[in-house]
């Protein structure tokens, strides 16, 4: 099963632009971007991604609160979530993984390899859940 559709949740517009270039222009994925956790929840009512790329620190709903809300949506059961954060303390990383994320990517990230990294994480997740 190939990775095709990604939902990206990030409050920083400059990072959204870089991620869009990395995932759409370079990697060829279909990408829907949201600037907040609440927008992501609303978007998930009519868009079902293969993977969710989620910023950890956002105003309003932070990443963990957003993940918690996503996990309550029946149509989102089993969709892998990858956190992206500049704060990558081991304790925080473990908190994201314990909450249900499959991985944590550190900012700054390499735009040239982000698509490949997400594809690998997605395929590893698919293989592990079979």
């Amino acid at each position: 099963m190939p990775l095709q559709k990604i939902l990206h949740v990030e409050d920083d517009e400059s990072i959204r632009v870089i991620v869009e270039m990395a995932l759409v222009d370079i990697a060829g994925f279909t990408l829907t971007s949201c600037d907040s956790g609440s927008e992501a929840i609303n978007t998930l009512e009519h868009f079902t991604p293969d993977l969710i790329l989620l910023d950890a620190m956002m105003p309003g709903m932070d990443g963990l609160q957003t993940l918690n809300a996503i996990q309550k949506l029946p149509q989102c059961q089993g969709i892998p979530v990858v956190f992206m954060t500049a704060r990558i303390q081991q304790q925080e990383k473990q908190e994201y993984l314990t909450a249900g994320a499959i991985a944590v990517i550190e900012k700054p990230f390499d735009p040239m390899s982000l698509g490949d990294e997400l594809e690998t994480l997605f395929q590893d997740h698919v293989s592990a859940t079979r």
Side-chain angles (χ1 to χ4, degrees):
M1 179 169 132
L3 174 59
Q4 295 175 336
K5 300 182 297 181
I6 299 172
L7 176 67
H8 180 222
V9 187
E10 168 67 58
D11 63 310
D12 185 323
E13 183 179 1
S14 60
I15 294 174
R16 283 196 313 272
V17 169
I18 293 167
V19 167
E20 182 173 350
M21 290 186 328
L23 297 182
V24 176
D25 300 339
I26 296 169
F29 295 119
T30 298
L31 182 71
T32 297
S33 294
C34 299
D35 65 7
S36 69
S38 58
E39 183 184 354
I41 300 306
N42 292 334
T43 298
L44 287 165
E45 292 176 11
H46 55 81
F47 176 73
T48 304
D50 300 318
L51 181 137
I52 299 170
L53 183 59
L54 182 57
D55 183 25
M57 295 176 13
M58 297 181 291
M61 292 175 71
D62 68 16
L64 285 172
Q65 292 168 324
T66 302
L67 175 60
N68 189 281
I70 288 169
Q71 291 171 332
K72 292 177 181 172
L73 299 172
Q75 71 272 28
C76 294
Q77 301 304 306
I79 296 175
V81 174
V82 175
F83 271 98
M84 185 178 275
T85 184
R87 290 179 47 196
I88 193 84
Q89 302 295 331
Q90 189 59 37
Q91 178 183 346
E92 290 171 326
K93 180 179 178 180
Q94 190 56 52
E95 187 177 7
Y96 301 138
L97 297 172
T98 300
I102 63 165
V104 180
I105 295 175
E106 187 173 358
K107 293 177 189 172
F109 56 92
D110 177 6
M112 299 306 291
S113 64
L114 181 61
D116 290 339
E117 186 173 2
L118 291 178
E119 180 72 45
T120 299
L121 291 169
F122 179 76
Q123 293 305 332
D124 289 349
H125 172 75
V126 169
S127 295
T129 55
R130 283 191 178 154

